[in-house]
PDB file of all heavy atoms in Angstrom:
ATOM      1  N   ASP A 238    -183.137  15.259 -38.929  1.00 96.00           N
ATOM      2  CA  ASP A 238    -183.656  15.850 -40.175  1.00 96.00           C
ATOM      3  C   ASP A 238    -184.452  17.131 -39.933  1.00 96.00           C
ATOM      4  O   ASP A 238    -185.398  17.411 -40.671  1.00 96.00           O
ATOM      5  CB  ASP A 238    -184.537  14.841 -40.929  1.00 96.00           C
ATOM      6  CG  ASP A 238    -183.747  13.640 -41.401  1.00 96.00           C
ATOM      7  OD1 ASP A 238    -182.505  13.728 -41.454  1.00 96.00           O
ATOM      8  OD2 ASP A 238    -184.376  12.602 -41.711  1.00 96.00           O
ATOM      9  N   GLN A 239    -184.098  17.920 -38.947  1.00 95.00           N
ATOM     10  CA  GLN A 239    -184.836  19.138 -38.660  1.00 95.00           C
ATOM     11  C   GLN A 239    -184.060  20.423 -38.952  1.00 95.00           C
ATOM     12  O   GLN A 239    -184.650  21.494 -38.953  1.00 95.00           O
ATOM     13  CB  GLN A 239    -185.278  19.148 -37.190  1.00 95.00           C
ATOM     14  CG  GLN A 239    -186.175  18.001 -36.800  1.00 95.00           C
ATOM     15  CD  GLN A 239    -187.409  17.906 -37.675  1.00 95.00           C
ATOM     16  OE1 GLN A 239    -188.185  18.863 -37.798  1.00 95.00           O
ATOM     17  NE2 GLN A 239    -187.600  16.765 -38.334  1.00 95.00           N
ATOM     18  N   ALA A 240    -182.760  20.335 -39.180  1.00 96.00           N
ATOM     19  CA  ALA A 240    -181.966  21.555 -39.414  1.00 96.00           C
ATOM     20  C   ALA A 240    -180.793  21.223 -40.337  1.00 96.00           C
ATOM     21  O   ALA A 240    -179.629  21.411 -39.978  1.00 96.00           O
ATOM     22  CB  ALA A 240    -181.483  22.140 -38.090  1.00 96.00           C
ATOM     23  N   PHE A 241    -181.107  20.737 -41.527  1.00 97.00           N
ATOM     24  CA  PHE A 241    -180.060  20.313 -42.453  1.00 97.00           C
ATOM     25  C   PHE A 241    -179.147  21.482 -42.828  1.00 97.00           C
ATOM     26  O   PHE A 241    -177.908  21.359 -42.769  1.00 97.00           O
ATOM     27  CB  PHE A 241    -180.704  19.718 -43.708  1.00 97.00           C
ATOM     28  CG  PHE A 241    -179.710  19.211 -44.715  1.00 97.00           C
ATOM     29  CD1 PHE A 241    -179.213  17.925 -44.630  1.00 97.00           C
ATOM     30  CD2 PHE A 241    -179.277  20.023 -45.758  1.00 97.00           C
ATOM     31  CE1 PHE A 241    -178.291  17.446 -45.560  1.00 97.00           C
ATOM     32  CE2 PHE A 241    -178.363  19.563 -46.681  1.00 97.00           C
ATOM     33  CZ  PHE A 241    -177.871  18.277 -46.590  1.00 97.00           C
ATOM     34  N   ASP A 242    -179.718  22.590 -43.208  1.00 97.00           N
ATOM     35  CA  ASP A 242    -178.903  23.736 -43.628  1.00 97.00           C
ATOM     36  C   ASP A 242    -178.064  24.287 -42.476  1.00 97.00           C
ATOM     37  O   ASP A 242    -176.926  24.729 -42.688  1.00 97.00           O
ATOM     38  CB  ASP A 242    -179.798  24.837 -44.199  1.00 97.00           C
ATOM     39  CG  ASP A 242    -180.393  24.459 -45.550  1.00 97.00           C
ATOM     40  OD1 ASP A 242    -179.770  23.628 -46.252  1.00 97.00           O
ATOM     41  OD2 ASP A 242    -181.473  24.971 -45.908  1.00 97.00           O
ATOM     42  N   GLN A 243    -178.598  24.286 -41.276  1.00 97.00           N
ATOM     43  CA  GLN A 243    -177.825  24.770 -40.131  1.00 97.00           C
ATOM     44  C   GLN A 243    -176.646  23.845 -39.832  1.00 97.00           C
ATOM     45  O   GLN A 243    -175.575  24.310 -39.428  1.00 97.00           O
ATOM     46  CB  GLN A 243    -178.725  24.884 -38.904  1.00 97.00           C
ATOM     47  CG  GLN A 243    -179.819  25.927 -39.036  1.00 97.00           C
ATOM     48  CD  GLN A 243    -180.630  26.065 -37.764  1.00 97.00           C
ATOM     49  OE1 GLN A 243    -180.087  26.131 -36.656  1.00 97.00           O
ATOM     50  NE2 GLN A 243    -181.950  26.082 -37.906  1.00 97.00           N
ATOM     51  N   VAL A 244    -176.834  22.534 -40.024  1.00 97.00           N
ATOM     52  CA  VAL A 244    -175.724  21.604 -39.820  1.00 97.00           C
ATOM     53  C   VAL A 244    -174.637  21.852 -40.867  1.00 97.00           C
ATOM     54  O   VAL A 244    -173.436  21.830 -40.550  1.00 97.00           O
ATOM     55  CB  VAL A 244    -176.228  20.154 -39.868  1.00 97.00           C
ATOM     56  CG1 VAL A 244    -175.056  19.167 -39.845  1.00 97.00           C
ATOM     57  CG2 VAL A 244    -177.157  19.870 -38.690  1.00 97.00           C
ATOM     58  N   VAL A 245    -175.025  22.098 -42.109  1.00 97.00           N
ATOM     59  CA  VAL A 245    -174.036  22.404 -43.153  1.00 97.00           C
ATOM     60  C   VAL A 245    -173.271  23.672 -42.793  1.00 97.00           C
ATOM     61  O   VAL A 245    -172.042  23.741 -42.935  1.00 97.00           O
ATOM     62  CB  VAL A 245    -174.731  22.541 -44.519  1.00 97.00           C
ATOM     63  CG1 VAL A 245    -173.749  23.038 -45.568  1.00 97.00           C
ATOM     64  CG2 VAL A 245    -175.323  21.202 -44.954  1.00 97.00           C
ATOM     65  N   GLU A 246    -173.987  24.684 -42.319  1.00 97.00           N
ATOM     66  CA  GLU A 246    -173.315  25.921 -41.919  1.00 97.00           C
ATOM     67  C   GLU A 246    -172.353  25.683 -40.756  1.00 97.00           C
ATOM     68  O   GLU A 246    -171.267  26.261 -40.705  1.00 97.00           O
ATOM     69  CB  GLU A 246    -174.359  26.967 -41.533  1.00 97.00           C
ATOM     70  CG  GLU A 246    -175.206  27.457 -42.706  1.00 97.00           C
ATOM     71  CD  GLU A 246    -176.335  28.368 -42.250  1.00 97.00           C
ATOM     72  OE1 GLU A 246    -176.415  28.634 -41.028  1.00 97.00           O
ATOM     73  OE2 GLU A 246    -177.117  28.816 -43.112  1.00 97.00           O
ATOM     74  N   GLY A 247    -172.746  24.827 -39.808  1.00 97.00           N
ATOM     75  CA  GLY A 247    -171.856  24.514 -38.693  1.00 97.00           C
ATOM     76  C   GLY A 247    -170.593  23.798 -39.149  1.00 97.00           C
ATOM     77  O   GLY A 247    -169.495  24.063 -38.636  1.00 97.00           O
ATOM     78  N   CYS A 248    -170.731  22.884 -40.122  1.00 97.00           N
ATOM     79  CA  CYS A 248    -169.549  22.196 -40.655  1.00 97.00           C
ATOM     80  C   CYS A 248    -168.623  23.178 -41.365  1.00 97.00           C
ATOM     81  O   CYS A 248    -167.392  23.110 -41.214  1.00 97.00           O
ATOM     82  CB  CYS A 248    -169.978  21.089 -41.610  1.00 97.00           C
ATOM     83  SG  CYS A 248    -170.890  19.733 -40.825  1.00 97.00           S
ATOM     84  N   HIS A 249    -169.195  24.111 -42.135  1.00 97.00           N
ATOM     85  CA  HIS A 249    -168.369  25.129 -42.794  1.00 97.00           C
ATOM     86  C   HIS A 249    -167.712  26.048 -41.770  1.00 97.00           C
ATOM     87  O   HIS A 249    -166.565  26.473 -41.945  1.00 97.00           O
ATOM     88  CB  HIS A 249    -169.225  25.946 -43.757  1.00 97.00           C
ATOM     89  CG  HIS A 249    -169.578  25.212 -45.006  1.00 97.00           C
ATOM     90  ND1 HIS A 249    -170.617  25.592 -45.831  1.00 97.00           N
ATOM     91  CD2 HIS A 249    -169.042  24.088 -45.571  1.00 97.00           C
ATOM     92  CE1 HIS A 249    -170.688  24.758 -46.859  1.00 97.00           C
ATOM     93  NE2 HIS A 249    -169.748  23.838 -46.713  1.00 97.00           N
ATOM     94  N   GLU A 250    -168.420  26.338 -40.712  1.00 96.00           N
ATOM     95  CA  GLU A 250    -167.877  27.216 -39.672  1.00 96.00           C
ATOM     96  C   GLU A 250    -166.673  26.586 -38.979  1.00 96.00           C
ATOM     97  O   GLU A 250    -165.685  27.265 -38.678  1.00 96.00           O
ATOM     98  CB  GLU A 250    -168.974  27.535 -38.658  1.00 96.00           C
ATOM     99  CG  GLU A 250    -168.521  28.315 -37.443  1.00 96.00           C
ATOM    100  CD  GLU A 250    -169.610  28.447 -36.402  1.00 96.00           C
ATOM    101  OE1 GLU A 250    -170.797  28.504 -36.787  1.00 96.00           O
ATOM    102  OE2 GLU A 250    -169.291  28.477 -35.200  1.00 96.00           O
ATOM    103  N   GLN A 251    -166.715  25.279 -38.728  1.00 96.00           N
ATOM    104  CA  GLN A 251    -165.639  24.619 -38.003  1.00 96.00           C
ATOM    105  C   GLN A 251    -164.513  24.141 -38.921  1.00 96.00           C
ATOM    106  O   GLN A 251    -163.341  24.232 -38.563  1.00 96.00           O
ATOM    107  CB  GLN A 251    -166.191  23.423 -37.221  1.00 96.00           C
ATOM    108  CG  GLN A 251    -165.137  22.695 -36.387  1.00 96.00           C
ATOM    109  CD  GLN A 251    -165.745  21.693 -35.429  1.00 96.00           C
ATOM    110  OE1 GLN A 251    -166.946  21.688 -35.208  1.00 96.00           O
ATOM    111  NE2 GLN A 251    -164.920  20.838 -34.856  1.00 96.00           N
ATOM    112  N   HIS A 252    -164.850  23.645 -40.109  1.00 95.00           N
ATOM    113  CA  HIS A 252    -163.844  23.018 -40.972  1.00 95.00           C
ATOM    114  C   HIS A 252    -163.543  23.818 -42.235  1.00 95.00           C
ATOM    115  O   HIS A 252    -162.639  23.431 -42.987  1.00 95.00           O
ATOM    116  CB  HIS A 252    -164.307  21.613 -41.391  1.00 95.00           C
ATOM    117  CG  HIS A 252    -164.691  20.733 -40.255  1.00 95.00           C
ATOM    118  ND1 HIS A 252    -163.784  20.288 -39.309  1.00 95.00           N
ATOM    119  CD2 HIS A 252    -165.894  20.211 -39.888  1.00 95.00           C
ATOM    120  CE1 HIS A 252    -164.406  19.520 -38.430  1.00 95.00           C
ATOM    121  NE2 HIS A 252    -165.693  19.462 -38.761  1.00 95.00           N
ATOM    122  N   GLY A 253    -164.282  24.897 -42.502  1.00 95.00           N
ATOM    123  CA  GLY A 253    -164.153  25.528 -43.795  1.00 95.00           C
ATOM    124  C   GLY A 253    -164.865  24.701 -44.857  1.00 95.00           C
ATOM    125  O   GLY A 253    -165.554  23.720 -44.558  1.00 95.00           O
ATOM    126  N   PHE A 254    -164.668  25.090 -46.137  1.00 94.00           N
ATOM    127  CA  PHE A 254    -165.290  24.298 -47.205  1.00 94.00           C
ATOM    128  C   PHE A 254    -164.694  22.899 -47.262  1.00 94.00           C
ATOM    129  O   PHE A 254    -165.387  21.926 -47.516  1.00 94.00           O
ATOM    130  CB  PHE A 254    -165.124  25.001 -48.550  1.00 94.00           C
ATOM    131  CG  PHE A 254    -166.090  26.138 -48.750  1.00 94.00           C
ATOM    132  CD1 PHE A 254    -165.692  27.289 -49.381  1.00 94.00           C
ATOM    133  CD2 PHE A 254    -167.390  26.047 -48.302  1.00 94.00           C
ATOM    134  CE1 PHE A 254    -166.575  28.335 -49.568  1.00 94.00           C
ATOM    135  CE2 PHE A 254    -168.289  27.076 -48.476  1.00 94.00           C
ATOM    136  CZ  PHE A 254    -167.876  28.228 -49.124  1.00 94.00           C
ATOM    137  N   ASN A 255    -163.361  22.788 -47.038  1.00 93.00           N
ATOM    138  CA  ASN A 255    -162.687  21.490 -47.031  1.00 93.00           C
ATOM    139  C   ASN A 255    -163.103  20.690 -48.267  1.00 93.00           C
ATOM    140  O   ASN A 255    -162.688  21.015 -49.370  1.00 93.00           O
ATOM    141  CB  ASN A 255    -162.995  20.762 -45.725  1.00 93.00           C
ATOM    142  CG  ASN A 255    -162.023  19.633 -45.444  1.00 93.00           C
ATOM    143  OD1 ASN A 255    -161.088  19.416 -46.209  1.00 93.00           O
ATOM    144  ND2 ASN A 255    -162.218  18.924 -44.366  1.00 93.00           N
ATOM    145  N   TRP A 256    -163.906  19.649 -48.114  1.00 96.00           N
ATOM    146  CA  TRP A 256    -164.416  18.917 -49.277  1.00 96.00           C
ATOM    147  C   TRP A 256    -165.899  19.164 -49.510  1.00 96.00           C
ATOM    148  O   TRP A 256    -166.456  18.723 -50.527  1.00 96.00           O
ATOM    149  CB  TRP A 256    -164.176  17.410 -49.113  1.00 96.00           C
ATOM    150  CG  TRP A 256    -164.797  16.795 -47.885  1.00 96.00           C
ATOM    151  CD1 TRP A 256    -164.206  16.600 -46.692  1.00 96.00           C
ATOM    152  CD2 TRP A 256    -166.150  16.316 -47.749  1.00 96.00           C
ATOM    153  NE1 TRP A 256    -165.081  16.029 -45.804  1.00 96.00           N
ATOM    154  CE2 TRP A 256    -166.284  15.828 -46.432  1.00 96.00           C
ATOM    155  CE3 TRP A 256    -167.234  16.245 -48.604  1.00 96.00           C
ATOM    156  CZ2 TRP A 256    -167.468  15.286 -45.956  1.00 96.00           C
ATOM    157  CZ3 TRP A 256    -168.427  15.698 -48.136  1.00 96.00           C
ATOM    158  CH2 TRP A 256    -168.533  15.224 -46.824  1.00 96.00           C
ATOM    159  N   LEU A 257    -166.561  19.880 -48.588  1.00 97.00           N
ATOM    160  CA  LEU A 257    -167.998  20.140 -48.717  1.00 97.00           C
ATOM    161  C   LEU A 257    -168.204  21.460 -49.463  1.00 97.00           C
ATOM    162  O   LEU A 257    -168.658  22.452 -48.915  1.00 97.00           O
ATOM    163  CB  LEU A 257    -168.636  20.172 -47.324  1.00 97.00           C
ATOM    164  CG  LEU A 257    -170.162  20.097 -47.245  1.00 97.00           C
ATOM    165  CD1 LEU A 257    -170.668  18.794 -47.835  1.00 97.00           C
ATOM    166  CD2 LEU A 257    -170.630  20.240 -45.806  1.00 97.00           C
ATOM    167  N   HIS A 258    -167.873  21.471 -50.740  1.00 97.00           N
ATOM    168  CA  HIS A 258    -167.918  22.676 -51.561  1.00 97.00           C
ATOM    169  C   HIS A 258    -169.354  22.969 -52.014  1.00 97.00           C
ATOM    170  O   HIS A 258    -170.217  22.074 -51.999  1.00 97.00           O
ATOM    171  CB  HIS A 258    -167.000  22.526 -52.764  1.00 97.00           C
ATOM    172  CG  HIS A 258    -165.539  22.558 -52.398  1.00 97.00           C
ATOM    173  ND1 HIS A 258    -164.893  23.713 -52.017  1.00 97.00           N
ATOM    174  CD2 HIS A 258    -164.605  21.567 -52.356  1.00 97.00           C
ATOM    175  CE1 HIS A 258    -163.621  23.447 -51.759  1.00 97.00           C
ATOM    176  NE2 HIS A 258    -163.429  22.153 -51.948  1.00 97.00           N
ATOM    177  N   PRO A 259    -169.629  24.204 -52.414  1.00 96.00           N
ATOM    178  CA  PRO A 259    -171.008  24.577 -52.787  1.00 96.00           C
ATOM    179  C   PRO A 259    -171.656  23.676 -53.827  1.00 96.00           C
ATOM    180  O   PRO A 259    -172.850  23.355 -53.686  1.00 96.00           O
ATOM    181  CB  PRO A 259    -170.840  26.019 -53.292  1.00 96.00           C
ATOM    182  CG  PRO A 259    -169.668  26.547 -52.536  1.00 96.00           C
ATOM    183  CD  PRO A 259    -168.735  25.382 -52.382  1.00 96.00           C
ATOM    184  N   PRO A 260    -170.978  23.252 -54.917  1.00 96.00           N
ATOM    185  CA  PRO A 260    -171.675  22.354 -55.855  1.00 96.00           C
ATOM    186  C   PRO A 260    -172.132  21.048 -55.211  1.00 96.00           C
ATOM    187  O   PRO A 260    -173.208  20.531 -55.541  1.00 96.00           O
ATOM    188  CB  PRO A 260    -170.622  22.105 -56.945  1.00 96.00           C
ATOM    189  CG  PRO A 260    -169.703  23.275 -56.869  1.00 96.00           C
ATOM    190  CD  PRO A 260    -169.643  23.633 -55.422  1.00 96.00           C
ATOM    191  N   LEU A 261    -171.338  20.505 -54.294  1.00 97.00           N
ATOM    192  CA  LEU A 261    -171.738  19.273 -53.610  1.00 97.00           C
ATOM    193  C   LEU A 261    -172.888  19.534 -52.643  1.00 97.00           C
ATOM    194  O   LEU A 261    -173.803  18.710 -52.517  1.00 97.00           O
ATOM    195  CB  LEU A 261    -170.539  18.678 -52.877  1.00 97.00           C
ATOM    196  CG  LEU A 261    -170.741  17.304 -52.231  1.00 97.00           C
ATOM    197  CD1 LEU A 261    -171.121  16.263 -53.279  1.00 97.00           C
ATOM    198  CD2 LEU A 261    -169.482  16.861 -51.489  1.00 97.00           C
ATOM    199  N   VAL A 262    -172.857  20.680 -51.964  1.00 97.00           N
ATOM    200  CA  VAL A 262    -173.963  21.032 -51.069  1.00 97.00           C
ATOM    201  C   VAL A 262    -175.261  21.165 -51.853  1.00 97.00           C
ATOM    202  O   VAL A 262    -176.333  20.742 -51.401  1.00 97.00           O
ATOM    203  CB  VAL A 262    -173.637  22.337 -50.311  1.00 97.00           C
ATOM    204  CG1 VAL A 262    -174.841  22.805 -49.502  1.00 97.00           C
ATOM    205  CG2 VAL A 262    -172.434  22.143 -49.402  1.00 97.00           C
ATOM    206  N   ARG A 263    -175.183  21.757 -53.056  1.00 97.00           N
ATOM    207  CA  ARG A 263    -176.380  21.895 -53.897  1.00 97.00           C
ATOM    208  C   ARG A 263    -176.999  20.542 -54.204  1.00 97.00           C
ATOM    209  O   ARG A 263    -178.231  20.369 -54.113  1.00 97.00           O
ATOM    210  CB  ARG A 263    -175.991  22.620 -55.187  1.00 97.00           C
ATOM    211  CG  ARG A 263    -177.145  22.792 -56.177  1.00 97.00           C
ATOM    212  CD  ARG A 263    -176.623  23.276 -57.508  1.00 97.00           C
ATOM    213  NE  ARG A 263    -175.718  22.288 -58.098  1.00 97.00           N
ATOM    214  CZ  ARG A 263    -174.602  22.596 -58.735  1.00 97.00           C
ATOM    215  NH1 ARG A 263    -174.232  23.867 -58.878  1.00 97.00           N
ATOM    216  NH2 ARG A 263    -173.837  21.640 -59.244  1.00 97.00           N
ATOM    217  N   GLU A 264    -176.180  19.548 -54.519  1.00 97.00           N
ATOM    218  CA  GLU A 264    -176.717  18.228 -54.842  1.00 97.00           C
ATOM    219  C   GLU A 264    -177.178  17.481 -53.589  1.00 97.00           C
ATOM    220  O   GLU A 264    -178.162  16.739 -53.633  1.00 97.00           O
ATOM    221  CB  GLU A 264    -175.661  17.411 -55.589  1.00 97.00           C
ATOM    222  CG  GLU A 264    -175.126  18.074 -56.850  1.00 97.00           C
ATOM    223  CD  GLU A 264    -176.227  18.494 -57.798  1.00 97.00           C
ATOM    224  OE1 GLU A 264    -177.151  17.690 -58.043  1.00 97.00           O
ATOM    225  OE2 GLU A 264    -176.169  19.626 -58.323  1.00 97.00           O
ATOM    226  N   PHE A 265    -176.490  17.688 -52.476  1.00 97.00           N
ATOM    227  CA  PHE A 265    -176.958  17.108 -51.216  1.00 97.00           C
ATOM    228  C   PHE A 265    -178.342  17.653 -50.845  1.00 97.00           C
ATOM    229  O   PHE A 265    -179.190  16.909 -50.332  1.00 97.00           O
ATOM    230  CB  PHE A 265    -175.960  17.404 -50.101  1.00 97.00           C
ATOM    231  CG  PHE A 265    -174.791  16.450 -50.041  1.00 97.00           C
ATOM    232  CD1 PHE A 265    -173.803  16.593 -49.081  1.00 97.00           C
ATOM    233  CD2 PHE A 265    -174.679  15.399 -50.940  1.00 97.00           C
ATOM    234  CE1 PHE A 265    -172.726  15.715 -49.016  1.00 97.00           C
ATOM    235  CE2 PHE A 265    -173.602  14.516 -50.894  1.00 97.00           C
ATOM    236  CZ  PHE A 265    -172.627  14.684 -49.928  1.00 97.00           C
ATOM    237  N   ARG A 266    -178.568  18.929 -51.077  1.00 97.00           N
ATOM    238  CA  ARG A 266    -179.883  19.505 -50.765  1.00 97.00           C
ATOM    239  C   ARG A 266    -180.958  18.928 -51.676  1.00 97.00           C
ATOM    240  O   ARG A 266    -182.123  18.776 -51.271  1.00 97.00           O
ATOM    241  CB  ARG A 266    -179.831  21.020 -50.879  1.00 97.00           C
ATOM    242  CG  ARG A 266    -178.863  21.659 -49.895  1.00 97.00           C
ATOM    243  CD  ARG A 266    -178.833  23.171 -50.015  1.00 97.00           C
ATOM    244  NE  ARG A 266    -179.934  23.767 -49.258  1.00 97.00           N
ATOM    245  CZ  ARG A 266    -180.836  24.575 -49.788  1.00 97.00           C
ATOM    246  NH1 ARG A 266    -180.807  24.842 -51.088  1.00 97.00           N
ATOM    247  NH2 ARG A 266    -181.786  25.091 -49.027  1.00 97.00           N
ATOM    248  N   GLN A 267    -180.597  18.618 -52.916  1.00 96.00           N
ATOM    249  CA  GLN A 267    -181.550  17.944 -53.788  1.00 96.00           C
ATOM    250  C   GLN A 267    -181.921  16.565 -53.235  1.00 96.00           C
ATOM    251  O   GLN A 267    -183.086  16.170 -53.260  1.00 96.00           O
ATOM    252  CB  GLN A 267    -180.948  17.797 -55.189  1.00 96.00           C
ATOM    253  CG  GLN A 267    -180.995  19.050 -56.045  1.00 96.00           C
ATOM    254  CD  GLN A 267    -182.389  19.318 -56.566  1.00 96.00           C
ATOM    255  OE1 GLN A 267    -183.219  18.410 -56.674  1.00 96.00           O
ATOM    256  NE2 GLN A 267    -182.671  20.584 -56.872  1.00 96.00           N
ATOM    257  N   MET A 268    -180.944  15.853 -52.713  1.00 97.00           N
ATOM    258  CA  MET A 268    -181.217  14.529 -52.161  1.00 97.00           C
ATOM    259  C   MET A 268    -182.029  14.627 -50.881  1.00 97.00           C
ATOM    260  O   MET A 268    -182.914  13.784 -50.642  1.00 97.00           O
ATOM    261  CB  MET A 268    -179.898  13.809 -51.899  1.00 97.00           C
ATOM    262  CG  MET A 268    -179.055  13.559 -53.141  1.00 97.00           C
ATOM    263  SD  MET A 268    -177.446  12.807 -52.783  1.00 97.00           S
ATOM    264  CE  MET A 268    -177.948  11.208 -52.149  1.00 97.00           C
ATOM    265  N   PHE A 269    -181.754  15.629 -50.043  1.00 97.00           N
ATOM    266  CA  PHE A 269    -182.429  15.720 -48.752  1.00 97.00           C
ATOM    267  C   PHE A 269    -183.851  16.274 -48.896  1.00 97.00           C
ATOM    268  O   PHE A 269    -184.809  15.677 -48.382  1.00 97.00           O
ATOM    269  CB  PHE A 269    -181.617  16.603 -47.811  1.00 97.00           C
ATOM    270  CG  PHE A 269    -182.195  16.712 -46.426  1.00 97.00           C
ATOM    271  CD1 PHE A 269    -181.996  15.718 -45.488  1.00 97.00           C
ATOM    272  CD2 PHE A 269    -182.965  17.809 -46.065  1.00 97.00           C
ATOM    273  CE1 PHE A 269    -182.534  15.803 -44.221  1.00 97.00           C
ATOM    274  CE2 PHE A 269    -183.512  17.922 -44.795  1.00 97.00           C
ATOM    275  CZ  PHE A 269    -183.295  16.912 -43.878  1.00 97.00           C
ATOM    276  N   PHE A 270    -184.004  17.412 -49.561  1.00 96.00           N
ATOM    277  CA  PHE A 270    -185.307  18.076 -49.616  1.00 96.00           C
ATOM    278  C   PHE A 270    -186.192  17.547 -50.739  1.00 96.00           C
ATOM    279  O   PHE A 270    -187.414  17.485 -50.580  1.00 96.00           O
ATOM    280  CB  PHE A 270    -185.115  19.593 -49.791  1.00 96.00           C
ATOM    281  CG  PHE A 270    -184.482  20.263 -48.604  1.00 96.00           C
ATOM    282  CD1 PHE A 270    -183.187  20.728 -48.674  1.00 96.00           C
ATOM    283  CD2 PHE A 270    -185.173  20.404 -47.416  1.00 96.00           C
ATOM    284  CE1 PHE A 270    -182.589  21.349 -47.588  1.00 96.00           C
ATOM    285  CE2 PHE A 270    -184.590  21.012 -46.320  1.00 96.00           C
ATOM    286  CZ  PHE A 270    -183.288  21.482 -46.399  1.00 96.00           C
ATOM    287  N   ASN A 271    -185.623  17.153 -51.860  1.00 95.00           N
ATOM    288  CA  ASN A 271    -186.425  16.703 -53.002  1.00 95.00           C
ATOM    289  C   ASN A 271    -186.431  15.192 -53.170  1.00 95.00           C
ATOM    290  O   ASN A 271    -187.054  14.672 -54.083  1.00 95.00           O
ATOM    291  CB  ASN A 271    -185.925  17.350 -54.290  1.00 95.00           C
ATOM    292  CG  ASN A 271    -186.180  18.850 -54.313  1.00 95.00           C
ATOM    293  OD1 ASN A 271    -186.965  19.359 -53.512  1.00 95.00           O
ATOM    294  ND2 ASN A 271    -185.518  19.565 -55.206  1.00 95.00           N
ATOM    295  N   GLY A 272    -185.706  14.476 -52.312  1.00 94.00           N
ATOM    296  CA  GLY A 272    -185.805  13.024 -52.310  1.00 94.00           C
ATOM    297  C   GLY A 272    -185.106  12.319 -53.453  1.00 94.00           C
ATOM    298  O   GLY A 272    -185.460  11.178 -53.772  1.00 94.00           O
ATOM    299  N   VAL A 273    -184.106  12.951 -54.063  1.00 95.00           N
ATOM    300  CA  VAL A 273    -183.376  12.284 -55.132  1.00 95.00           C
ATOM    301  C   VAL A 273    -182.584  11.102 -54.541  1.00 95.00           C
ATOM    302  O   VAL A 273    -181.868  11.262 -53.561  1.00 95.00           O
ATOM    303  CB  VAL A 273    -182.416  13.266 -55.837  1.00 95.00           C
ATOM    304  CG1 VAL A 273    -181.602  12.543 -56.907  1.00 95.00           C
ATOM    305  CG2 VAL A 273    -183.199  14.413 -56.439  1.00 95.00           C
ATOM    306  N   GLY A 274    -182.742   9.933 -55.097  1.00 94.00           N
ATOM    307  CA  GLY A 274    -182.069   8.733 -54.633  1.00 94.00           C
ATOM    308  C   GLY A 274    -182.897   7.867 -53.717  1.00 94.00           C
ATOM    309  O   GLY A 274    -182.498   6.721 -53.442  1.00 94.00           O
ATOM    310  N   ARG A 275    -184.037   8.363 -53.248  1.00 93.00           N
ATOM    311  CA  ARG A 275    -184.850   7.543 -52.347  1.00 93.00           C
ATOM    312  C   ARG A 275    -185.484   6.354 -53.054  1.00 93.00           C
ATOM    313  O   ARG A 275    -185.856   5.368 -52.410  1.00 93.00           O
ATOM    314  CB  ARG A 275    -185.945   8.396 -51.702  1.00 93.00           C
ATOM    315  CG  ARG A 275    -185.407   9.425 -50.717  1.00 93.00           C
ATOM    316  CD  ARG A 275    -186.526  10.194 -50.053  1.00 93.00           C
ATOM    317  NE  ARG A 275    -185.990  11.257 -49.214  1.00 93.00           N
ATOM    318  CZ  ARG A 275    -186.739  12.162 -48.587  1.00 93.00           C
ATOM    319  NH1 ARG A 275    -188.066  12.113 -48.702  1.00 93.00           N
ATOM    320  NH2 ARG A 275    -186.188  13.099 -47.857  1.00 93.00           N
TER     321      ARG A 275
END
Side-chain angles (χ1 to χ4, degrees):
D238 295 342
Q239 300 305 304
F241 182 87
D242 289 334
Q243 295 184 45
V244 172
V245 172
E246 292 173 2
C248 294
H249 286 162
E250 174 187 328
Q251 182 169 347
H252 307 294
F254 282 142
N255 198 2
W256 58 266
L257 194 61
H258 289 287
L261 186 60
V262 173
R263 178 191 63 220
E264 304 307 314
F265 277 180
R266 298 180 83 236
Q267 281 285 337
M268 298 176 65
F269 183 80
F270 293 109
N271 292 345
V273 177
R275 291 183 185 175

